[in-house]
Amino acid sequence: MKINQTYRSPNFGPRPKTADINMLLLHYTGMQTGKEALERLCDSAAQVSAHYLIEEDGEIFQLVPEEHRAWHAGLAYWHGETDINSCSIGIEIVNPGHEWGYRPFPTAQMKAVAALSKEILERHSIPAFRTLAHSDVAPERKEDPGELFDWAYLAKQGIGAYPDGTAQNTPIAEDDFLLKLGEYGYQVDMKNPTGSATKAAIISFQRHFRPSKLNGEIDPECCQILTDLYSQLDDS
């Protein structure tokens, strides 16, 4: 797999010696062009970066070596962790995003995402349930890579967790959904189950695993999907 090393970002730092790389975090660029995104990610004044960027035609750019801590997650949380940059590899995927004309991700781009992700997963011990969207770890701030991103395609390539409808377990009860969602990894405010933070977490879950309906409401389909995901955890 050919990787373009023309662009290098100055925006990175050392990973803590105690940090393991155990998460793959996928973003969209949310800018009008890939060139604009590359320039921003390599601008020292912007103070943001990612390890890789993938253009719509499938070209892959490496901006930060994997051994370094890129600055892509921002204020984030997953499964009790808040320093997501230290434990993750970040991939920016060129797409104008919801602000500039959100559109489906081209086949060539998705194939490149799959190929790069497979190589990253081979280098690091990253569980399927820790291949995540930026919106999963920052649901009140972020929507990317969004509901048009083809997580099901990646799962068929062996990348990430995705419901496949094969779970034989009794579905999680709606009353238990928030507790189980938090145990899965999302930041849920159990003291305020109807608050904005909790609703954002539910929408993020839906955006990743049930993109056809983003209403922030717990329903039987959400419960079945989360049950399916838990069954995959049990099999891993």
Side-chain angles (χ1 to χ4, degrees):
M1 183 175 57
K2 185 177 180 181
I3 296 180
N4 189 322
Q5 311 243 3
T6 304
Y7 290 81
R8 304 303 265 179
S9 177
N11 304 324
F12 64 87
R15 293 186 189 272
K17 292 182 180 179
T18 56
D20 293 324
I21 296 173
N22 57 26
M23 181 184 293
L24 178 60
L25 198 62
L26 305 185
H27 311 249
Y28 65 38
T29 53
M31 301 186 74
Q32 294 187 66
T33 68
K35 188 173 187 299
E36 283 184 56
L38 277 171
E39 289 175 350
R40 184 168 187 269
L41 291 165
C42 295
D43 180 357
S44 59
Q47 295 288 290
V48 293
S49 62
H51 295 90
Y52 298 94
L53 178 141
I54 301 180
E55 260 288 6
E56 289 188 293
D57 63 2
E59 185 171 13
I60 300 171
F61 296 83
Q62 183 172 27
L63 310 181
V64 175
E66 289 181 15
E67 62 267 25
H68 295 309
R69 180 182 183 273
W71 304 337
H72 57 100
L75 183 64
Y77 172 100
W78 187 257
H79 218 271
E81 296 177 71
T82 55
D83 185 2
I84 300 301
N85 285 335
S86 289
C87 67
S88 63
I89 301 288
I91 301 176
E92 289 278 357
I93 304 162
V94 173
N95 187 290
H98 293 81
E99 184 177 359
W100 299 106
Y102 189 44
R103 56 181 178 242
F105 296 78
T107 299
Q109 189 178 43
M110 287 301 306
K111 286 183 176 179
V113 172
L116 177 59
S117 296
K118 280 184 178 179
E119 289 202 358
I120 292 170
L121 295 176
E122 287 172 1
R123 285 192 287 270
H124 307 287
S125 298
I126 299 176
F129 73 97
R130 290 176 71 89
T131 296
L132 298 168
H134 195 190
S135 57
D136 290 323
V137 302
E140 290 192 275
R141 299 189 304 111
K142 297 296 181 179
E143 298 176 296
D144 59 309
E147 61 276 7
L148 297 180
F149 189 72
D150 199 346
W151 290 103
Y153 167 77
L154 289 188
K156 290 176 182 176
Q157 314 305 309
I159 301 160
Y162 203 77
D164 58 11
T166 62
Q168 300 298 313
N169 309 50
T170 300
I172 292 166
E174 292 187 26
D175 288 346
D176 295 330
F177 180 84
L178 288 181
L179 177 63
K180 301 302 286 186
L181 188 66
E183 290 176 353
Y184 189 78
Y186 288 89
Q187 188 168 25
V188 174
D189 185 358
M190 295 300 296
K191 294 181 179 179
N192 190 8
T194 60
S196 60
T198 300
K199 184 172 182 178
I202 296 170
I203 292 174
S204 176
F205 168 82
Q206 293 171 336
R207 198 183 300 279
H208 189 150
F209 300 111
R210 206 266 306 268
S212 61
K213 192 174 183 181
L214 310 178
N215 59 6
E217 297 177 4
I218 301 167
D219 56 33
E221 186 180 14
C222 287
C223 293
Q224 183 58 61
I225 289 169
L226 189 56
T227 303
D228 201 342
L229 294 172
Y230 264 92
S231 73
Q232 294 178 33
L233 282 176
D234 292 340
D235 293 339
S236 63

